Amino acid sequence: MATKSFNHPFVDKVQQRGLLAGACGVVLLFIVGFADSQQFFQSYLVSYIYWLVISLGCLGLLMLHHLVSGRWGFVIRRLLESGARTLWLMAVLFIPIALLGMHHLYEWTHADVVAKDPILTFKKPYLNETGFYIRAVVYFALWLLWMFLLTKWSREQDETGEPGLKRRMINLSGPGIPMFILTVTFAATDWVMSLEPHWFSTIYGLIFVIGGALGAMALCILWVIKLKDVEVYREVDAFKYLADLGTLMFAFTCLWAYVSFSQFLITWSGNLAEEAPWYIRRSHGGWQYVGTALIIFHFFLPFFLLLQRAIKRRAALMMVIAFFMLFMRYVDLYYFITPAFVHGGASGLYRYVADVLTFVSIGGLWLGFFAMQLKGVPLMPLHDPRMAETFAGEGH
Amino acid sequence: MAENLYGLLAEFDGPDELLKAAKDAYADGYRKMDAYSPMPIHDLSESMGYDKHRVPIIVLICALLGASSGFGLQYWVSVIDYPLNVGGRPLLSWPSFIPVTFELGVLFSAFGALIGMLILNGLPRPYHPVFNVPNFERASGDGFFLCIEAEDSKFDISETRAFLESLKAKKVDDVEP
């Protein structure tokens, strides 16, 4: 069948340029960081969360695919595994936030603020620095453990073809899904929701889970289109699955709208003093246009485009839509995070420079790391026993 | 007798043979035909020129109709017919109208998809001539059939029979109307 590992000029290009952009960005970021550390960490958090959520989305979709199988998943399994393996990088990139950024970002880390604020005093048993560190270690430990075992067994399966590995991956993914949803919910609460520590929303974590799956799916679509010439993809005619991947992206778009709107509707109906300010802040001072743009471009436009099968089968269009969705994911997270920073931070051009620089450096490192992971392995699983079954019946 | 035929039914060995026969018949200019098989065969309907899908547009129209009637109902009830002050909210509280609007959109689309599909397929259909062929019930077991209908402009009883036999049909039967 296929060759052991594959090589494609595009993957090399992404690896080189990504790592280069990352390295240059990091150097420039040091300058930004010294000039205005408040702004630096605000921008850093948005970009970090953006890429972290995509890594997590890859891990979640990987586990989902182990549980439900399906041809779409075999086509993108290596992409998902490589995406999940960037969690190593994301764990390292979390260190600046944990060690240096906390006091710049989170109001509840300041003892004097907490002492004066009865709500924060009440929340102190959860929202305190020690708890924050312990929980962060637990989240990363669990994510890395699941990612490590799943990718390790997948690699072993390629080499030995041992049929029992399939069962092991399924058995790990079963408890993996609840673990994943719970840890992502808690992590989103700790790292993002606690920027506005008075406010709370129970559906918040799910918005991040689904946003991650959406981003990961968009990224996989881009890679499948770019790598369509690779031998194994030609053998199974990976293009045929573009419509399936597009349908999944459509489903996650709808789910995103569902959970985002649910959060809004509950807050709006409740109309309570501790919940409403989150949306009030996001519907004034220009943010109302960003919110409206999200409704139109993060939901209605992709909804009506991806509803049509003719569009989902056209690679050029799908590439534009996938790029666009990745951009809208950024807008969505920016809308979630940035209005929280009512104090401090730079204004005007400087803010955008910091936003772009952090995005490019973390993104460059992410993509470079991703390409590195992808390069060493066969682009499609070699010996998964389920693959033969799924691809044999070319019917339905 | 010959003028009264519904068509000719050819039986094939398997899905691949049936697909090839359908493609050849379409290429030869036959249009009014249908294939019968125990399981779905990929590309089969496309190979016979059934590439227009009209259900999606029916579903879209039904969805818009459902969504607007859902919103309209709530608007009429809470703004025009029975205005109530709920916690000082405006009468036209659109965020709380969205769930019902969405649900009715989905409900109408589901009805549209099912009923539209049935109507376009001409179902329910209690009588169909192909069942006059004694062997035909095997189409839901292990039989693969292609029926070229007499209505087709290219249909000619002996030529079409010869053509179907040339496609390596196991057996070609007349279908009584």
Side-chain angles (χ1 to χ4, degrees):
Chain A
M1 205 179 130
T3 45
K4 273 280 169 204
S5 64
F6 88 106
N7 226 331
H8 191 278
F10 181 71
V11 181
D12 288 324
K13 206 169 85 180
V14 169
Q15 186 189 339
Q16 284 160 10
R17 299 216 178 141
L19 292 178
L20 186 70
C24 296
V26 169
V27 173
L28 287 169
L29 276 178
F30 268 107
I31 304 167
V32 177
F34 279 116
D36 185 339
S37 45
Q38 185 91 9
Q39 179 56 50
F40 167 77
F41 280 111
Q42 293 183 359
S43 301
Y44 188 88
L45 186 72
V46 179
S47 305
Y48 176 78
I49 294 291
Y50 177 85
W51 290 101
L52 174 74
V53 162
I54 292 182
S55 303
L56 290 171
C58 288
L59 180 63
L61 285 179
L62 181 64
M63 293 191 291
L64 187 69
H65 172 247
H66 279 306
L67 290 175
V68 303
S69 194
R71 273 180 270 185
W72 61 273
F74 290 111
V75 174
I76 61 171
R77 186 158 117 192
R78 280 297 128 80
L79 301 170
L80 295 174
E81 284 171 357
S82 306
R85 286 180 73 85
T86 57
L87 279 168
W88 290 120
L89 173 76
M90 298 323 279
V92 173
L93 291 178
F94 186 69
I95 294 170
I97 297 179
L99 292 185
L100 305 165
M102 264 182 96
H103 293 286
H104 292 292
L105 291 169
Y106 306 107
E107 209 184 328
W108 51 265
T109 57
H110 299 278
D112 53 324
V113 177
V114 177
K116 271 186 282 177
D117 190 324
I119 295 180
L120 290 188
T121 313
F122 174 72
K123 289 186 176 179
K124 211 180 163 196
Y126 184 87
L127 274 187
N128 58 70
E129 286 176 54
T130 324
F132 182 92
Y133 286 129
I134 294 172
R135 288 193 301 270
V137 170
V138 172
Y139 307 146
F140 275 111
L142 289 171
W143 296 337
L144 291 174
L145 177 70
W146 254 263
M147 175 277 279
F148 176 74
L149 287 175
L150 284 175
T151 51
K152 179 174 164 269
W153 289 339
S154 182
R155 201 85 16 110
E156 272 173 34
Q157 192 184 47
D158 278 350
E159 279 158 18
T160 62
E162 155 79 37
L165 286 164
K166 170 194 91 170
R167 198 23 65 192
R168 257 194 265 172
M169 289 193 276
I170 296 174
N171 288 346
L172 187 68
S173 299
I177 295 275
M179 176 285 293
F180 178 76
I181 292 178
L182 284 172
T183 47
V184 174
T185 296
F186 276 94
T189 307
D190 282 7
W191 302 343
V192 193
M193 203 205 289
S194 81
L195 290 169
E196 286 154 286
H198 284 193
W199 182 75
F200 58 88
S201 155
T202 44
I203 209 168
Y204 199 75
L206 215 53
I207 299 179
F208 281 78
V209 169
I210 289 156
L214 175 59
M217 193 50 83
L219 198 77
C220 286
I221 288 175
L222 287 180
W223 279 90
V224 169
I225 296 172
K226 275 289 177 191
L227 298 178
K228 62 179 189 293
D229 305 325
V230 177
E231 194 191 339
V232 280
Y233 269 4
R234 272 203 313 242
E235 268 173 35
V236 300
D237 198 1
F239 248 44
K240 272 205 305 219
Y241 307 110
L242 205 56
D244 295 346
L245 298 175
T247 304
L248 282 165
M249 187 159 80
F250 170 79
F252 287 126
T253 308
C254 295
L255 216 49
W256 171 87
Y258 181 86
V259 287
S260 300
F261 180 74
S262 299
Q263 176 176 292
F264 172 70
L265 183 62
I266 290 164
T267 311
W268 184 87
S269 313
N271 200 18
L272 297 172
E274 69 257 38
E275 289 178 355
W278 198 87
Y279 279 105
I280 293 173
R281 223 166 280 148
R282 282 160 183 78
S283 50
H284 292 90
W287 289 111
Q288 67 270 38
Y289 304 114
V290 182
T292 314
L294 279 172
I295 298 172
I296 298 170
F297 297 113
H298 200 309
F299 175 62
F300 279 105
L301 183 68
F303 176 84
F304 282 107
L305 287 176
L306 294 172
L307 208 49
Q308 301 166 53
R309 207 196 302 211
I311 290 183
K312 282 185 286 194
R313 283 186 174 157
R314 286 175 58 186
L317 271 171
M318 280 304 280
M319 209 152 119
V320 176
I321 297 174
F323 254 121
F324 185 72
M325 287 323 288
L326 283 170
F327 172 69
M328 287 319 292
R329 286 301 311 135
Y330 182 77
V331 177
D332 185 39
L333 280 174
Y334 201 81
Y335 179 78
F336 258 60
I337 298 173
T338 309
F341 304 123
V342 275
H343 313 295
S347 56
L349 190 65
Y350 188 77
R351 155 170 295 248
Y352 302 120
V353 170
D355 285 339
V356 171
L357 264 183
T358 49
F359 185 83
V360 171
S361 14
I362 299 178
L365 290 175
W366 198 98
L367 286 170
F369 206 77
F370 174 89
M372 239 158 73
Q373 303 299 325
L374 190 60
K375 245 170 54 171
V377 294
L379 189 54
M380 296 255 291
L382 295 180
H383 299 298
D384 195 300
R386 286 175 298 173
M387 236 174 100
E389 298 160 23
T390 351
F391 283 95
E394 273 296 280
H396 278 266
Chain B
M1 191 63 208
E3 296 89 66
N4 289 333
L5 276 187
Y6 172 76
L8 285 170
L9 186 74
E11 189 185 349
F12 293 92
D13 284 325
D16 298 334
E17 289 81 359
L18 177 59
L19 182 61
K20 190 181 172 305
K23 279 183 181 158
D24 290 346
Y26 189 81
D28 206 54
Y30 289 102
R31 290 295 177 267
K32 290 227 174 273
M33 58 181 165
D34 212 345
Y36 305 90
S37 98
M39 80 279 198
I41 299 173
H42 200 65
D43 284 341
L44 183 60
S45 52
E46 285 82 358
S47 69
M48 292 183 296
Y50 291 100
D51 50 4
K52 281 200 203 80
H53 302 287
R54 275 177 297 175
V55 173
I57 188 76
I58 296 177
V59 175
L60 179 68
I61 292 168
C62 288
L64 295 175
L65 210 65
S68 48
S69 64
F71 195 90
L73 172 75
Q74 294 173 89
Y75 181 83
W76 180 71
V77 168
S78 37
V79 179
I80 298 165
D81 195 50
Y82 204 81
L84 266 184
N85 183 337
V86 183
R89 289 189 184 76
L91 292 175
L92 176 58
S93 288
W94 65 267
S96 57
F97 294 178
I98 299 284
V100 173
T101 306
F102 170 74
E103 297 295 347
L104 275 188
V106 172
L107 181 71
F108 275 49
S109 338
F111 279 134
L114 179 68
I115 296 169
M117 179 277 289
L118 289 176
I119 291 174
L120 289 176
N121 279 329
L123 293 170
R125 185 166 184 177
Y127 173 78
H128 197 292
V130 282
F131 286 95
N132 291 333
V133 177
N135 229 354
F136 183 73
E137 65 269 15
R138 289 197 14 248
S140 54
D142 62 347
F144 297 87
F145 298 92
L146 181 71
C147 180
I148 296 186
E149 288 154 29
E151 273 181 45
D152 194 292
S153 53
K154 204 172 177 295
F155 187 84
D156 176 279
I157 179 121
S158 49
E159 263 180 43
T160 304
R161 175 180 283 278
F163 173 72
L164 283 171
E165 273 159 1
S166 77
L167 296 177
K168 300 203 185 76
K170 272 206 301 202
K171 192 160 170 269
V172 180
D173 287 300
D174 292 348
V175 184
E176 303 287 332

